Every structure is written in structure tokens, then in C-alpha cells.
Amino acid sequence: MSLLKGIQQTAQQVAEAISAALQIETEIVDEGMTIIAGTGMYKEQIDSKEEGGQVEAGFLYGRVIRNNQPYFVEDARNDPSYDPSVLTGQTPELAELCCPIHYGGRVIGVIGLVAFDESQHRSLIVNKMPFLTFLQRMSELLTSKIAEQAALQNWQKATHQLEVLIQSIHEGIIAIDEKGVISTCNQTAEQLIGLKRAELIARPLEQIWPASPMLSVLSTGKGYIEQEERYQTDGRDMHFIVTARPILANEAVIGAVATFRRMADMRRLAYVLTNEPKDLYFSEIYGQSRALALVKKQAEQVARGASNILITGESGTGKSMLAAAIHSASSRRSGPFILVNCGAIPEALLESELFGYAGGAFTGARREGKAGKFELADGGTIFLDEIGDLPLHLQVKLLHVLQAKQVERIGSNQVIPIDIRVISATNKNLEEMVATREFREDLYFRLNVIPLHMPPLRDRVEDIPLLMEYFLAKHRQNTDHELLDYSPEVRHIFMKYHWPGNVRELENAIEYAVNMASSPFIGVEAIPPRITNAVYAPLPDNSPEEAHSLKDLLKRHEQLIIQEYLERYGDSLEAKRLIAEKLDIGLATLYRKLESYKLLKSEK
């Protein structure tokens, strides 16, 4: 669509005004030779084409557009270059004065005065120059209207883009005028505040956020950044982080705008940015034993609920892994999983770590205060490891949090509601601690709603080979030499060892062996000596001093290797032949060693 077509109504008003003022018919065409406006006969021809619609045909309007010059045709009926109708003798016009319409450095149309009778003809000839000046002014009027409309369209476009931008921002945005009345907001603000746009616009901010610091921005002209603000309006509790800035015009404050986010969302973001996002699932707790399968099944079942869970078990059994897997399988999986080791944090710091503190609560406290672990866990799960090490005075505060589902920071009397699930763990006997008044009975029953017990590794020996393979694959990636497997003797030792440190000790032993191994097969010399010494006992016919000689140790190693192969392949004659082949010794030699070590049994 041409620019003149976009202001066709205005163009028609201009044409009629010219004709009324000069008593001469007026015609306006665009650069495509389309009649946009006109009086007299031209009014009936609006939207039709002049000069056959051909700018290059060489007629009057085409020359004006091509040459960007005004023209005066004094005798139109006898000028063959005036209009195609001259050639057929059907030209009703006597004379015409026209000039180009300019916009943006180009010709966008033509405006002309046309004489149809002798009176108009004489007036056009006598007043040619004044009329031309008048047409140029009318041309400027049209282009100013085009510019105005273009500016309006650009403003509307910019306003629409700004509106889309504001609505697309995930933070809440709210603006007030110089009187403190809400002038605009986005959809996120509606959701965070809990009111529709129609309920917010034109409403005083004081009614939504009583005593908001944003109102002081209007009087001081000074904004603020990331300030914690809490409001309670119409039964709604709002806890935000707010940044507000003044809106200035000619150095005068005419309003203020604020961006804000829910404190819980900020905590979750802080957790994501400061913690490696590692989801852990039940399938990643390796083992096929009946004892482990039972506790995993129980954990999967209770993961769907919201009740508190107490996980008991020896150190190193994987209690924290089970807690993380429960969180990942729960409806809270999208929320944070906050781990607190109650035994690893100094008692003097534990309270502020758990409950947070208000600004200036004690010497060295941050001015803006700090959220505690319970606040950070809002919407998710908090895992209190080594709960048996929690001091008695903090047990009272923890009980209050569990009962009221709210927390108070140190140095503040402001109650902060929280939505959390508590999973705790201990390697201590809490029932004995309750009996000796080292642990509160009411807290114990509050935590122990659903008890789960992680079995020690000695009760799930059948899981050791699987864990050995997993940890070997995990840690050999960091070595420069290729590790293929464990020697049979190492496998035997690992199966016989009692593993007081459980799975954690097993992994540490394998990581040690991976670093100490000098051949593709991990041998006895590569595993921690304490494990070897715990499994090996002195030979019965030797004194303690002789039992640790190299000769006796080699015999003991040889005996264990043969025992390992017998357990693997059996005691039959065919099995003995296979064992001799595997060990690269003769069958007779194998029989001698079996007899020497009292391992010879009847062949089936």
C-alpha cells in the first residue's frame, strides 16, 4: 500500500479544502498513478488509474514523478503530452497546474489543480505562481500527516514490542506513577501477587504492599537493589527480593518501577548455582542382595509420600545415597535437595547454618542477613545427616520447625513459612540416646515416622563382586596404564574381609589399589596392608615371627589361590585338570600341593 493510500481520508479532506478555497478542481495521485483523492469528476474516479497507470508513458503525471518537477499545462486540449485522452479528442480539461509530493527524499505522488471552464482557466493562468506555492504547502501538509502516522505506527510498534518484552520477563514488573498508583504490571507480577491485572492497575501500591520502600523512591529519587521485602495482604504472605528504580523526566521523578522475584525462587536459584545438579536414582545404588533389595523397595514406596524418614545404618553404608534417591523419586524432585552434616559443622555455627540470621544479628553477620538451610530447602527436601550429633538446644528448635512448618532467623521475630520434607540419618542408636536423655524423645518420634535401615556390607557379601567391578571401572579412568581385573587372591581377600567401613571403605580400597597397581591385574601387593593382614592368619605350625616370613606368606598366598580355584571350578577330576591348566602347572604338582595344604577331597 502506498503512503498516500495510508492517509486517503486526510488526502480527500485536503483536496476538498483546496477546491473550496480556489474554486478549482483538485486531484491527488500516488506514485503508482492511482487516484487517491479528488473533487468533481475525480471524486468518482478514486482508486482508478490515471494515464493508464504507466509512469513511463511520458504524460503529465508521469513526467512530474520521474523528473521531480512542477508543471503547468496552459492548453491541455492541444498538448499531446498532457494525457492519453488528448489523442482521442476526449479531453475535458482546459489547463492544469501540478507539483510533486515528496517524502523521505523521493516522489510519492502528485497534487494538481485542474481547470474545466474559462473562469477556472483564467484564474489558473493569472495566479499560477501563488497557486503553485499553495500546492507545495498542501503537499507539505500531506507529508507531515504521513510522518505523523509513521511516528504513531512506530510508537505503537515500539509500545507493543515493549509490552511483549515486559510480559516475557520471568521476573515480576510493577510500575507506579508519581502518586504511588499502579500504572502497569506484567503477567508474572499478577501470578506472584495473586491478583489480576484489572485488580492491580489504578490501585494505590500502599493497598497491595503496605509501607513499601518503593514509595520512598518517589520522594528521594533513589532506587535500591535486591532488597528483601515481606508483605501480608488479604491473607496472602508475600516474600520477595525487590529492585526498584525511579522514572525521571527532565530530572523530575514521575514514577518508579520495580522488578521482583519470590524469595523461594531466589533460594532455589542460589542452590542450583552453588551445587552441582546431580540427580541420583535407586538404580544407581548397586547391589543384588536380598537385604539391599528390601530396603530399596521400601524406600521407593515411601518416596511418594511426604512423611519424615529416619535412615539408620553404619557409617559408609550409603545412607546419603538412599536419601538422594528418595528425593529424586518424590514429587519434590524439581525442588532443592539440601544436605546438612550435623556432625561436621562446628556447634557455634550450626544454628546459623540451619536457621539463618537477620542482618546485624551478631558481630560479623552480613548486613543483609542470610537464609538458613531450612529456607533454602523450601519446596524440596532437607537431609540431616548424623542427626545424633545435634546439640540438645538445637533439637528444641528443630522440633518447633517440624511441628509448625515455619522458621525464625536468629535475631528476628519474623516467622517464615516453609514447605519441606525432612530425611535424617544416623549411625548411632537413638533409642539408647533417648534413654540416657542425650536425644529428645519427642523429636525422635517426630523424625522416625518411617524408619529405614541400610544393611552393612558384611550382611550383603554377594554384592561385593558387583561393587568391585563398578568401582574398578569408575577409578581406572584416571590411570595411565590399563587395568583389566583383580587377581583371584585379591577377590578372595575382599570376599573374606569384614569391611567395618562398609561400601565407602571398599571404594577407598579399590581407589588405592588402582593407584598402586603396576600390572594389568591388581594383586595383593596393591591393596591396603590392613586388609591383607586382617584376612591372613598365621600358619598353625609356625610361631608368630615365622608366620610373617616371605616364605610363609608366599605359601599362604598359594593356598588361597588354590582355594579360590576350587571354589570356582569344583573338586572333580575334570575340575582339577582345568585348574592345573589355568595355573600352568602339572596335574601331579597340583595334587601334591592339595595334599600339602590338606585341600584334597574325594573326586566325584
Side-chain angles (χ1 to χ4, degrees):
M1 185 174 69
S2 68
L3 294 174
L4 287 171
K5 183 69 173 176
I7 59 163
Q8 190 168 21
Q9 183 177 356
T10 300
Q12 180 61 33
Q13 291 172 350
V14 168
E16 291 176 353
I18 294 172
S19 183
L22 304 182
Q23 296 298 306
I24 300 178
E25 304 301 340
T26 307
E27 182 181 17
I28 300 174
V29 301
D30 64 13
E31 68 269 37
M33 308 299 285
T34 299
I35 300 175
I36 299 299
T39 60
M41 59 176 283
Y42 300 115
K43 188 173 183 178
E44 299 174 0
Q45 297 176 6
I46 289 175
D47 294 331
S48 64
K49 294 288 186 179
E50 274 283 13
E51 301 178 5
Q54 300 297 319
V55 175
E56 302 296 330
F59 297 106
L60 178 61
Y61 288 168
R63 294 200 305 274
V64 174
I65 293 172
R66 289 199 320 272
N67 300 331
N68 190 19
Q69 294 290 334
Y71 281 90
F72 176 57
V73 178
E74 189 173 341
D75 187 4
R77 293 180 178 177
N78 295 309
D79 189 343
S81 64
Y82 172 67
D83 187 86
S85 60
V86 174
L87 304 177
T88 61
Q90 298 178 349
T91 304
E93 298 92 338
L94 297 178
E96 184 166 353
L97 174 66
C98 58
C99 73
I101 304 171
H102 304 97
Y103 184 78
R106 65 185 181 90
V107 178
I108 62 168
V110 180
I111 182 170
L113 295 176
V114 187
F116 283 92
D117 56 37
E118 287 301 329
S119 174
Q120 293 176 343
H121 191 187
R122 284 194 303 272
S123 177
L124 202 55
I125 294 173
V126 172
N127 300 295
K128 178 175 64 176
M129 294 310 297
F131 284 1
L132 179 59
T133 301
F134 184 68
L135 287 183
Q136 290 171 339
R137 295 296 175 266
M138 293 299 102
S139 170
E140 292 170 0
L141 176 63
L142 291 172
T143 54
S144 67
K145 184 63 178 179
I146 292 173
E148 178 186 330
Q149 182 164 302
L152 176 62
Q153 290 174 344
N154 289 336
W155 178 81
Q156 290 173 335
K157 181 180 178 181
T159 300
H160 179 68
Q161 290 175 334
L162 181 60
E163 181 68 19
V164 172
L165 177 63
I166 290 173
Q167 295 298 338
S168 66
I169 292 174
H170 292 301
E171 290 185 332
I173 296 178
I174 192 167
I176 57 176
D177 61 19
E178 66 275 13
K179 296 179 180 178
V181 175
I182 299 172
S183 56
T184 189
C185 67
N186 65 352
Q187 291 178 350
T188 306
E190 295 179 59
Q191 295 167 2
L192 296 179
I193 296 174
L195 294 173
K196 294 294 184 181
R197 182 184 179 90
E199 299 174 279
L200 291 171
I201 301 299
R203 189 171 177 180
L205 181 66
E206 180 72 21
Q207 296 180 8
I208 308 298
W209 293 351
S212 169
M214 187 177 172
L215 295 170
S216 66
V217 175
L218 298 176
S219 57
T220 64
K222 295 180 180 179
Y224 54 88
I225 298 175
E226 295 182 354
Q227 183 168 300
E228 186 175 353
E229 299 177 16
R230 293 179 61 88
Y231 304 101
Q232 285 187 329
T233 306
D234 299 333
R236 296 185 307 277
D237 184 82
M238 293 175 275
H239 194 183
F240 300 132
I241 289 290
V242 184
T243 294
R245 300 185 186 280
I247 302 174
L248 302 175
N250 297 323
E251 300 184 357
V253 179
I254 61 170
V257 63
T259 60
F260 58 99
R261 300 184 72 172
R262 250 192 308 254
M263 175 60 85
D265 295 335
M266 292 296 290
R267 296 185 195 124
R268 191 171 293 111
L269 177 61
Y271 171 77
V272 170
L273 292 176
T274 56
N275 294 270
E276 181 182 358
K278 175 66 172 71
D279 294 328
L280 194 143
Y281 302 96
F282 289 111
S283 59
E284 297 176 68
I285 302 176
Y286 293 100
Q288 299 174 341
S289 63
R290 185 176 181 277
L292 182 65
L294 178 61
V295 71
K296 286 171 64 176
K297 181 179 180 181
Q298 292 173 339
E300 287 186 76
Q301 183 172 346
V302 302
R304 298 188 294 268
S307 301
N308 296 336
I309 298 172
L310 176 63
I311 305 173
T312 57
E314 297 177 7
S315 178
T317 52
K319 298 186 291 295
S320 62
M321 291 183 67
L322 185 66
I326 291 172
H327 171 74
S328 296
S330 73
S331 59
R332 296 172 175 267
R333 66 180 69 89
S334 60
F337 177 73
I338 303 295
L339 189 153
V340 181
N341 190 318
C342 300
I345 303 174
E347 184 176 338
L349 300 177
L350 186 56
E351 184 175 9
S352 63
E353 282 294 311
L354 286 174
F355 304 101
Y357 57 81
F362 50 83
T363 303
R366 296 179 184 175
R367 186 183 63 179
E368 67 275 15
K370 179 184 176 182
K373 299 297 186 183
F374 285 109
E375 285 185 69
L376 293 176
D378 189 32
T381 304
I382 187 167
F383 175 51
L384 302 176
D385 199 8
E386 298 186 32
I387 189 67
D389 293 330
L390 191 68
L392 278 169
H393 73 281
L394 294 185
Q395 292 179 26
V396 178
K397 293 195 68 172
L398 174 58
L399 180 63
H400 174 74
V401 170
L402 297 179
Q403 290 174 336
K405 295 294 184 182
Q406 58 189 26
V407 66
E408 291 183 23
R409 294 184 183 180
I410 299 173
S412 172
N413 58 3
Q414 205 164 41
V415 174
I416 302 173
I418 53 173
D419 173 25
I420 59 171
R421 184 184 199 179
V422 177
I423 302 177
S424 50
T426 184
N427 57 5
K428 296 183 176 182
N429 190 326
L430 292 186
E431 291 185 357
E432 290 184 1
M433 294 181 67
V434 168
T436 58
R437 298 184 181 278
E438 296 176 86
F439 201 87
R440 291 183 63 95
E441 184 178 28
D442 47 6
L443 177 60
Y444 171 69
F445 287 118
R446 179 71 66 172
L447 293 172
N448 194 33
V449 177
I450 299 177
L452 296 174
H453 180 72
M454 282 296 284
L457 193 55
R458 62 181 173 274
D459 290 347
R460 40 184 285 224
V461 177
E462 58 268 46
D463 290 337
I464 292 177
L466 180 62
L467 291 169
M468 288 175 66
E469 297 303 323
Y470 170 72
F471 291 134
L472 178 61
K474 175 182 176 181
H475 292 293
R476 68 183 170 192
Q477 297 175 357
N478 301 322
T479 61
D480 295 331
H481 64 281
E482 185 178 12
L483 288 171
L484 300 178
D485 206 347
Y486 303 93
S487 70
E489 189 174 8
V490 168
R491 288 185 177 275
H492 175 83
I493 292 172
F494 277 17
M495 292 294 289
K496 296 297 182 183
Y497 184 58
H498 62 290
W499 299 110
N502 294 292
V503 179
R504 184 184 297 122
E505 184 183 9
L506 174 62
E507 180 176 5
N508 289 345
I510 293 172
E511 185 175 2
Y512 173 90
V514 166
N515 285 278
M516 299 300 292
S518 57
S519 69
F521 290 88
I522 295 175
V524 176
E525 72 285 350
I527 64 177
R530 72 176 188 282
I531 296 177
T532 306
N533 295 335
V535 172
Y536 287 158
L539 293 174
D541 297 333
N542 296 58
S543 65
E545 292 79 11
E546 293 172 331
H548 291 87
S549 69
L550 178 61
K551 180 180 178 181
D552 290 328
L553 284 174
L554 289 172
K555 283 184 178 180
R556 189 62 166 163
H557 290 181
E558 185 178 71
Q559 178 183 345
L560 289 171
I561 291 171
I562 293 174
Q563 284 179 327
E564 173 76 20
Y565 274 87
L566 287 172
E567 291 175 4
R568 187 182 302 181
Y569 299 110
D571 295 311
S572 67
L573 176 60
E574 288 301 318
K576 292 185 178 71
R577 284 175 177 161
L578 179 60
I579 292 171
E581 182 182 345
K582 294 279 186 183
L583 296 176
D584 196 21
I585 59 176
L587 184 60
T589 302
L590 176 61
Y591 270 93
R592 285 197 303 273
K593 293 181 182 294
L594 291 172
E595 187 174 359
S596 171
Y597 296 130
K598 296 182 174 52
L599 296 175
L600 189 61
K601 298 179 182 180
S602 60
E603 298 171 353
K604 297 180 181 179

